[in-house]
């Protein structure tokens, strides 16, 4: 099967001297719903930044649908849609303009982008807000606008960096439904999240990263099978199986 | 990307910038127009009649090309430096372009085109206003020279503004160069006087000021007379453009201030 994303021995050391990635290798098959989990500062956003061209890598190779990001970065970028962790649109623009302009950067004519943007915004429940300034949207609406913007060029590989952070339960579940539908249509998804029950319910494969290194990787059920009940401390809070595995693998030794 | 896709990306950037410019026209267009009206009133109507002729022309007619050039230079520079700085600093909306397949040279072109357009539009507005202060006696010798110098000068300063926008890490960073470098160069570049009216040592310094050549080349288009050859002025403009394009391309391709 073709890999949507193939990362080999990826290393990143920032100018400050911080080593964010110490030789990460990942393989995400096409059509997968993949969770990349890790504590804050583990290196998740750095991997995403390198794949999307926002961060320069120190060494290693990255291929998106077989296209090396060093040799054929323009082609590789056409496959990717990014929903970043931070809200990064101009709040003085209208949602419809933000999404249509994003299509323009991918070479999509306005005549095509306009109806497509309206449909995506409507599907995401933003029909009534598409002509107001983005400044006036609620937090959850701004998150959905980020998803709409990432979908305008119909990417085959959607990367979501904590897309549901700060979103209420009801909206989060409606976003899950939307993401599942996209995955059902063949879009490969890479999700990072701190809501581990979200990853457990949605994702087929998972990788857990800690301090710049992958500490576990595989099918969700295989990673869940790593759960060791003996490691749990009686009387302490207990979360889902994935949460317990995550804590066992990432806790300070 | 195919050529038509590159064009769509470029057009998207320009369209977005023009919409922004007109949305905040009070900040983008009005200040230069008001400043020019004040200059025309003070240097033209009030002081001009006492100064007399300069290079054989009434003083108000002599200063018009320089004041138009002042508007072009400051607006082209401010537009590209601010829009770039704003998009990388406030909300990081520049990521919209960085994650897309738009190549660096189209990105540079998009930011520059907005600066050129604003510079030329504000310059044209100032020229239009000058007509009312010169009793419709504005001299125009060569329209092609005027247009060429207006567009190329806007191009140079939009490029220079972009370099500033790339390097700037704070809002002060985009105000320092215009205040302490650009404004003195423009004012000492011969907007209000001919270089021949200066003492020898000052003339020597003026010849080292690139703005002096641009203002005089532009003035040649209006008056048919200039302190320097318009060909030399054009050559300096083209050299500056080539130099600044190379710097911008290098900086954006390297991702300075854009990528970690």
């Amino acid at each position: 099967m073709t890999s949507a994303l193939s990362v080999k021995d990826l290393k990143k050391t920032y100018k400050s001297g911080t080593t964010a990635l110490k030789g990460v290798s990942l393989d995400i098959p096409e059509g997968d719903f993949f969770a990349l989990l890790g504590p804050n500062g583990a290196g998740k956003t750095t991997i995403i930044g390198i794949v999307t061209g926002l961060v320069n890598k120190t060494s290693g190779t990255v291929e998106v649908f077989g296209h090396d990001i060093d040799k054929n970065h323009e082609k590789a970028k056409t496959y990717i849609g990014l929903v970043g962790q931070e809200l990064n649109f101009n709040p003085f623009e209208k949602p419809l303009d933000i999404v249509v302009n994003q299509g323009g950067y991918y070479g999509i004519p306005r005549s095509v982008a306009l109806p497509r943007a309206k449909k995506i915004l409507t599907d995401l429940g933003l029909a009534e807000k598409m002509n107001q300034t983005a400044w006036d949207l609620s937090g959850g609406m701004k998150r959905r606008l980020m998803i709409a913007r990432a979908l305008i060029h119909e990417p085959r590989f959607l990367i979501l960096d904590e897309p549901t952070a700060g979103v209420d339960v009801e909206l989060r579940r409606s976003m899950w439904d939307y993401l599942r539908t996209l995955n059902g249509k063949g879009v490969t998804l890479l999700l990072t999240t701190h809501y581990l029950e979200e990853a457990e319910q949605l994702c087929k494969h998972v990788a857990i990263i800690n301090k710049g290194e992958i500490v576990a990787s595989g099918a969700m059920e295989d990673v869940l099978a790593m759960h060791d009940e003996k490691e749990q401390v009686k009387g302490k809070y207990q979360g889902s199986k994935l949460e317990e595995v995550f804590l066992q693998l990432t806790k300070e030794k | 990307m195919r050529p038509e896709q590159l064009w769509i990306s470029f057009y998207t950037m320009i369209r977005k910038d023009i919409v922004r410019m007109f949305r905040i026209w009070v900040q983008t267009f009005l200040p230069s127009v008001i400043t020019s009206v004040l200059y025309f009133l003070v240097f033209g109507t009030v002081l001009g009649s006492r100064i007399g002729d300069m290079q054989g022309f009434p003083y108000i007619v002599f200063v018009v090309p320089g004041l138009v050039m002042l508007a072009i230079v400051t607006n082209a520079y401010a537009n590209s430096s601010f829009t770039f700085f704003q998009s990388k600093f406030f909300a990081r909306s520049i990521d919209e372009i960085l994650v897309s397949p738009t190549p660096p040279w189209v990105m540079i072109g998009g930011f520059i085109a907005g600066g050129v357009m604003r510079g030329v539009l504000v310059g044209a507005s100032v020229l239009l206003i000058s007509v009312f202060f010169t009793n419709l006696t504005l001299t125009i010798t060569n329209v092609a020279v005027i247009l060429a110098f207006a567009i190329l000068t806007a191009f140079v300063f939009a490029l220079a503004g972009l370099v500033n926008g790339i390097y700037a890490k704070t809002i002060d960073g985009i105000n320092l160069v215009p205040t302490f470098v650009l404004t003195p160069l423009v004012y000492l570049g011969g907007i209000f006087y001919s270089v021949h009216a200066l003492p020898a040592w000052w003339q020597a310094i003026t010849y080292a000021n690139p703005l002096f050549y641009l203002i005089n080349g532009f003035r040649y288009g209006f008056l048919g007379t200039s302190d320097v050859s318009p060909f030399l002025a054009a050559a300096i403009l083209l050299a500056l453009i080539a130099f600044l394009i190379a710097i911008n391309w290098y900086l954006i391709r390297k991702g300075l201030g854009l990528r970690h």
Side-chain angles (χ1 to χ4, degrees):
Chain A
M1 187 181 266
T2 321
S3 287
L5 179 68
S6 174
V7 172
K8 287 197 181 86
D9 199 23
L10 192 60
K11 292 178 183 167
K12 173 66 187 178
T13 302
Y14 287 99
K15 268 186 183 172
S16 60
T18 308
T19 300
L21 301 175
K22 300 171 184 168
V24 168
S25 295
L26 275 178
D27 196 73
I28 303 178
E30 184 175 5
D32 199 3
F33 202 142
F34 192 97
L36 178 62
L37 309 175
N40 289 328
K44 306 182 294 293
T45 302
T46 301
I47 294 175
I48 290 171
I50 291 170
V51 172
T52 53
L54 298 175
V55 175
N56 292 327
K57 62 186 166 63
T58 304
S59 66
T61 59
V62 177
E63 286 183 5
V64 180
F65 286 100
H67 298 279
D68 190 305
I69 61 160
D70 292 326
K71 294 171 189 157
N72 200 357
H73 67 103
E74 282 182 23
K75 186 70 182 168
K77 283 178 173 181
T78 59
Y79 292 110
I80 304 171
L82 173 66
V83 181
Q85 193 179 112
E86 306 289 338
L87 299 173
N88 62 350
F89 49 76
N90 186 337
F92 301 108
E93 290 176 12
K94 296 170 187 169
L96 186 62
D97 290 337
I98 290 170
V99 178
V100 171
N101 285 340
Q102 188 66 27
Y105 303 138
Y106 284 83
I108 301 168
R110 281 185 77 78
S111 58
V112 175
L114 207 55
R116 195 186 284 176
K118 283 180 182 171
K119 181 171 185 320
I120 297 170
L121 287 165
T122 304
D123 289 349
L124 283 161
L126 295 170
E128 288 171 14
K129 304 284 182 181
M130 65 172 82
N131 286 309
Q132 294 181 9
T133 52
W135 185 273
D136 296 325
L137 302 182
S138 68
M141 288 172 179
K142 285 174 181 165
R143 287 270 161 211
R144 281 179 280 165
L145 172 57
M146 298 273 285
I147 295 176
R149 187 182 62 178
L151 292 173
I152 187 65
H153 61 292
E154 298 179 335
R156 285 170 63 187
F157 180 34
L158 185 63
I159 299 173
L160 303 121
D161 195 358
E162 299 183 30
T164 52
V167 170
D168 67 49
V169 179
E170 193 184 349
L171 180 57
R172 199 187 313 161
R173 291 198 175 178
S174 76
M175 284 166 80
W176 291 2
D177 284 340
Y178 192 77
L179 297 177
R180 269 208 184 106
T181 310
L182 282 175
N183 189 230
K185 288 178 182 169
V187 177
T188 309
L189 289 109
L190 167 61
L191 172 76
T192 78
T193 179
H194 288 297
Y195 301 112
L196 300 190
E197 81 282 6
E198 183 170 282
E200 195 171 335
Q201 294 204 31
L202 290 171
C203 300
K204 299 169 193 165
H205 290 89
V206 59
I208 298 175
I209 184 170
N210 190 31
K211 295 178 181 169
E213 289 175 301
I214 300 289
V215 291
S217 177
M220 183 61 79
E221 57 271 23
D222 295 339
V223 173
L224 291 177
M226 295 166 79
H227 180 225
D228 183 356
E229 288 186 12
K230 288 177 200 161
E231 289 259 336
Q232 280 182 211
V233 182
K234 286 196 175 166
K236 290 274 180 184
Y237 294 112
Q238 286 180 19
S240 64
K241 263 191 176 182
L242 183 60
E243 202 167 301
E244 294 305 322
V245 172
F246 178 89
L247 287 171
Q248 284 164 20
L249 291 169
T250 59
K251 72 181 175 188
E252 295 286 340
K253 294 201 169 107
Chain B
M1 289 176 96
R2 297 191 303 273
E4 67 270 24
Q5 290 178 311
L6 293 171
W7 165 252
I8 290 167
S9 182
F10 177 68
Y11 171 75
T12 302
M13 291 179 73
I14 300 175
R15 190 179 187 280
K16 187 177 168 181
D17 200 16
I18 290 174
V19 168
R20 183 195 64 87
M21 258 180 239
F22 281 93
R23 190 179 63 221
I24 52 166
W25 63 274
V26 175
Q27 294 170 47
T28 50
F29 296 115
L30 205 56
S32 286
V33 171
I34 290 174
T35 307
S36 303
V37 168
L38 294 172
Y39 277 128
F40 287 132
L41 276 173
V42 174
F43 291 102
T45 312
V46 180
L47 294 176
S49 56
R50 296 176 193 205
I51 293 170
D53 285 0
M54 187 78 74
Q55 288 186 340
F57 294 92
Y59 187 66
I60 181 84
V61 174
F62 177 83
V63 296
V64 165
L67 290 175
V68 173
M69 193 56 106
L70 175 67
I72 292 173
V73 165
T74 50
N75 281 280
Y77 191 95
N79 201 77
S80 55
S81 64
F82 185 74
T83 50
F84 193 87
F85 179 78
Q86 182 195 36
S87 64
K88 80 167 182 177
F89 217 76
F90 304 123
R92 273 297 297 186
S93 59
I94 196 140
D95 288 352
E96 293 175 341
I97 307 171
L98 292 176
V99 300
S100 79
T102 298
W105 62 272
V106 173
M107 191 171 156
I108 294 170
F111 278 103
I112 298 308
V116 171
M117 246 174 234
R118 178 167 151 195
V120 172
L121 278 174
V122 177
S125 307
V126 172
L127 183 61
L128 196 67
I129 286 164
S130 74
V131 172
F132 298 102
F133 291 90
T134 53
N135 297 321
L136 304 175
T137 56
L138 196 63
T139 312
I140 291 179
T141 303
N142 192 327
V143 175
V145 170
I146 293 171
L147 280 175
F149 269 89
I151 292 167
L152 291 174
T153 302
F155 200 38
V156 165
F157 286 92
L159 282 163
L162 188 57
V163 174
N164 192 175
I166 291 170
Y167 270 110
K169 290 194 172 88
T170 61
I171 192 78
D172 292 335
I174 56 167
N175 290 324
L176 285 174
V177 176
T179 307
F180 296 107
V181 180
L182 204 58
T183 306
L185 284 177
V186 172
Y187 279 80
L188 299 174
I191 291 180
F192 299 108
Y193 50 79
S194 163
V195 73
H196 301 299
L198 302 172
W201 64 270
W202 195 346
Q203 278 190 34
I205 294 172
T206 304
Y207 282 116
N209 180 353
L211 269 297
F212 165 72
Y213 298 91
L214 311 190
I215 292 166
N216 273 281
F218 195 53
R219 184 172 282 144
Y220 177 84
F222 283 91
L223 308 180
T225 178
S226 163
D227 286 334
V228 291
S229 156
F231 293 106
L232 175 63
I236 287 172
L237 256 179
L238 293 172
L240 282 171
I241 287 170
F243 175 66
L244 289 165
I245 284 177
I247 291 180
N248 275 299
W249 189 82
Y250 172 76
L251 293 175
I252 287 194
R253 198 160 186 276
K254 202 177 166 203
L256 191 89
L258 295 174
R259 296 189 187 92
H260 293 289

